[in-house]
Amino acid sequence: MGSVRVFNLEGIRTDGWFERVGEKVGSFDALCSILGERFFAFSLITGARVTALTVDRRDPNASIVEFEVSGAAEEGPLLQRLTLDRFRRRLVSALLAEESTGPAPTRETDVDGIQRHIGIRTLLLAPLFGFSLLELCCGDQGSSVVALEDGIKVELELSELRVALRRCVVEELERVSQGSDANRSGLDLTLVPKAREAAGRGDMAQVVTLLGSWLMPLTFFLRTPEGRTLAPDVRGVLGEGLGLLGSALLEAGDQETADQSLRLAVQYAVGTTLAADAYARLGAAHVRAERFGEAIAPLRHAVSLGIEPERVLPELSLAFFRQGRHLAAWSAISEARAHGLTHGSFEPLERAIADRIPALTAWTKLCGAP
């Protein structure tokens, strides 16, 4: 058995950090009252700086939160506006994402290394939910922490602590959402046909209204044993709903949340008859965001699963071309034309490809292609 290195966390324990923030922020009580105490803390952890609040007394969840998040260095902070309900869900979504951490530390004095190994987010969330971290134990089999949980000494694998904190975050969202009609009906599978009809007539706002509460609960549910053993037909319906929601959020300009919903749609739909649709929606979203390299794999999966060619071949040919894969782009266009498809992008792409590979024109003429 390998040795275990024990690091005392007295010097980096974050107990009371949120209360200390309250001593310095003049609007602390008001922000806690409107956002919810823990959600204000979540905003600080995720770097969402609240700049203004417009309170709706009739429906507090419809209050408008203006906040800044870090953008590219040359762009500076990005100002965004969301309803309180969606702002809370955005925070929870950010906290459920995998945290970037560092390797196990080797020296007691390596404070930064210890913090990176545990994770800054984990250190800040722990005291919000009654965990006071005492020691970090690192061995060949992994890392664990000794902590006081509501005054009781416990030892948890570091991964278990992170899972427990994520569960607490989701439960906090569910707690503040109790009594909300949207929350109660959030997993009503009969909403999917209604959302499909709304999308068919172009009413994307209605799709978000119907399915907007699905993302957070389903993100967490997928990690549970029940979520992993769902019947294929149920997973397919959930995947379709998340795909519809992702496309609607994309139309609304919420690229980040749309991407999360579409990726989750693929995870639920994989192995079902609706997987092709989920892959196609994700690939199309990547093309729209000009993330052409990421778009190719889901679009090709959609093709292999028998998706209608007109749904993916125009995007796939463009993605191949923009990645410098000119022969693959030409092949995708040729396949589309073989299916009788026409698209405004095909002729410009064909000319651009021919300019780069002149021999293609002679070859297609030799083969008698149009």
Side-chain angles (χ1 to χ4, degrees):
M1 181 182 293
S3 61
V4 175
R5 299 182 299 278
V6 178
F7 302 90
N8 189 295
L9 300 180
E10 179 67 31
I12 66 169
R13 197 161 61 239
T14 53
D15 297 12
W17 73 267
F18 186 57
E19 291 75 9
R20 290 192 291 275
V21 169
E23 297 171 0
K24 301 176 182 178
V25 177
S27 56
F28 181 82
D29 290 338
L31 288 167
C32 286
S33 175
I34 297 168
L35 301 177
E37 184 172 299
R38 282 176 172 158
F39 284 93
F40 181 34
F42 295 166
S43 72
L44 298 174
I45 294 171
T46 58
R49 190 174 74 85
V50 178
T51 58
L53 287 168
T54 304
V55 179
D56 187 331
R57 299 295 180 187
R58 294 169 301 176
D59 182 5
N61 282 334
S63 299
I64 300 298
V65 183
E66 293 187 15
F67 61 101
E68 290 181 348
V69 294
S70 298
E74 62 274 11
E75 295 175 349
L78 302 176
L79 182 64
Q80 300 188 30
R81 299 173 76 251
L82 291 174
T83 62
L84 176 56
D85 180 64
R86 290 189 64 192
F87 177 69
R88 286 170 172 162
R89 294 177 187 279
R90 172 75 68 82
L91 295 176
V92 171
S93 177
L95 292 173
L96 291 181
E98 290 296 325
E99 183 176 15
S100 177
T101 58
T106 56
R107 294 178 290 107
E108 182 83 26
T109 55
D110 186 10
V111 174
D112 288 342
I114 295 172
Q115 290 177 327
R116 285 195 303 272
H117 185 58
I118 297 174
I120 300 300
R121 185 195 306 164
T122 300
L123 286 169
L124 294 175
L125 283 174
L128 298 180
F129 296 104
F131 292 94
S132 179
L133 306 186
L134 304 177
E135 293 176 338
L136 170 67
C137 307
C138 301
D140 296 335
Q141 303 303 313
S143 299
S144 62
V145 290
V146 177
L148 292 177
E149 182 182 1
D150 297 327
I152 300 173
K153 196 170 186 178
V154 296
E155 182 171 359
L156 298 168
E157 296 294 330
L158 188 53
S159 59
E160 290 178 353
L161 175 63
R162 293 179 183 133
V163 169
L165 291 174
R166 290 193 191 110
R167 185 181 302 116
C168 289
V169 167
V170 172
E171 289 173 352
E172 183 67 13
L173 178 63
E174 293 173 344
R175 185 186 67 80
V176 301
S177 299
Q178 284 178 357
S180 163
D181 290 338
N183 186 67
R184 286 198 298 270
S185 64
L187 298 182
D188 180 358
L189 299 186
T190 64
L191 294 178
V192 174
K194 297 177 183 177
R196 191 188 309 127
E197 291 174 6
R201 61 177 183 268
D203 190 354
M204 296 304 186
Q206 179 65 10
V207 175
V208 175
T209 299
L210 289 168
L211 303 178
S213 62
W214 280 35
L215 184 54
M216 289 309 99
L218 287 179
T219 299
F220 179 71
F221 185 60
L222 190 63
R223 299 187 177 101
T224 66
E226 295 84 356
R228 290 191 292 270
T229 56
L230 280 174
D233 58 336
V234 176
R235 286 195 293 107
V237 174
L238 293 175
E240 182 186 5
L242 288 164
L244 290 166
L245 175 61
S247 295
L249 291 168
L250 195 65
E251 290 298 322
D254 191 348
Q255 176 74 46
E256 181 182 346
T257 312
D259 191 64
Q260 294 169 7
S261 187
L262 293 169
R263 288 182 184 278
L264 192 62
V266 167
Q267 293 179 66
Y268 272 99
V270 68
T272 75
T273 57
L274 293 166
D277 177 79
Y279 280 119
R281 290 179 185 274
L282 179 61
H286 287 332
V287 169
R288 179 167 174 163
E290 298 188 351
R291 289 152 54 183
F292 299 107
E294 295 178 57
I296 291 172
L299 290 174
R300 292 184 70 179
H301 277 305
V303 171
S304 69
L305 291 171
I307 196 74
E308 300 89 337
E310 62 270 18
R311 286 196 57 187
V312 294
L313 290 180
E315 287 85 357
L316 183 58
S317 60
L318 177 61
F320 277 136
F321 179 79
R322 293 297 292 271
Q323 286 297 107
R325 299 172 63 177
H326 301 130
L327 284 174
W330 187 278
S331 176
I333 295 172
S334 299
E335 183 179 351
R337 292 197 182 284
H339 283 91
L341 303 181
T342 59
H343 193 273
S345 68
F346 287 162
E347 289 188 7
L349 280 179
E350 286 174 321
R351 288 195 297 270
I353 295 169
D355 288 342
R356 289 163 173 79
I357 313 176
L360 270 178
T361 302
W363 182 80
T364 52
K365 287 182 179 178
L366 181 65
C367 294

